[in-house]
Amino acid sequence: MPAPLPPPNCPPGLEYLSQIDQIIIQQQIELLEIIIGFETNNNYEIKNGWGQRIYFAAEETDCCTRNCCGTSRPFAMKIMDNVGQEVIELRRPLRCSSCWCPCCLQELEVQAPPGTPVGYIKQIWDPFLPKFIIQNEAQQDVLKIVGPCVVCSFCEDINFEVMSLDEWNRVGRISKRWTGFLKEIFTDTDNFGIQFPLDLDVKMKAVMIGACFLMDFMFFESAGAEEQRVGVWQ
């Protein structure tokens, strides 16, 4: 996909995002995980709605962190364009995600280009629903994400709604897509879809990509004997 002319104040490498209103994120199958259950770094392809790859995401964590901290592990996620230039970096610290620990909930920083923060995703305490705030680079609240009470389903997608701050208007959606019985049972590779307004600030589009990765690790990853979580109360 050729790069369009960048809009004003667009970080380098995010020009693609200004031209699209949906993204598909496909996690790559790791054979080592399937065969011996050894947790490896996650890798993803990020595509537009026509299936053209626009970015590639690669997790960077060490073996000890992956296999000791499991799905709660801190990580750096490098997102590169099709020529290998890093355009986005996601940084997740080691935090808790249970509603029983409201003082240490999940968060993720989005940098574009690496070293320059453009936004944050922060979990909001709620006893029943997974809720998150999307913030800009000044840590001002911009949007809210609200997920379902039970984060699992059979033969259907799981939707996290991107809402206005008062939760009255839906702005977009992050969906974990059902990938088929065999793939869901025997692997932890996931496919996601992200929808957002075409005219949304490209920085906030990048932050929504980061939110998708955070939700994947929180609710849809399994590591060793650790099972996938089905809600914030776990």
Side-chain angles (χ1 to χ4, degrees), residues 5 12 28 41 43 54 80 92 96 110 146 156 183 208:
L5 294 175
Q28 296 189 326
N41 279 321
N43 295 299
I54 54 177
M80 296 153 282
R92 179 203 193 189
C96 183
V110 181
V146 181
E156 62 181 8
K183 195 171 182 180
M208 286 182 63

Side-chain angles (χ1 to χ4, degrees), residues 4 21 24 28 38 54 63 76 80 82 89 92 102 104 109 128 131 153 173 186 190 200 210 215 232:
D21 59 3
I24 300 168
Q28 296 189 326
F38 187 83
I54 54 177
C63 177
M80 296 153 282
N82 286 329
E89 182 169 325
R92 179 203 193 189
C104 193
E109 179 182 270
F128 304 110
K131 290 187 176 183
S153 69
R173 172 177 289 175
F186 295 108
D190 301 306
L200 184 67
M215 292 170 193
V232 294

Side-chain angles (χ1 to χ4, degrees), residues 174-186:
I174 299 173
S175 299
K176 194 275 181 185
R177 295 181 172 177
W178 173 259
T179 56
F181 180 79
L182 292 178
K183 195 171 182 180
E184 294 283 346
I185 295 298
F186 295 108

Side-chain angles (χ1 to χ4, degrees), residues 27 39 42 71 73 188 190 216-217 219-222 228:
Q27 185 176 355
E39 185 69 17
N42 289 351
T71 60
R73 63 187 181 265
D188 66 351
D190 301 306
D216 181 28
F217 276 81
F219 299 110
F220 305 111
E221 278 287 303
S222 59
Q228 294 182 7

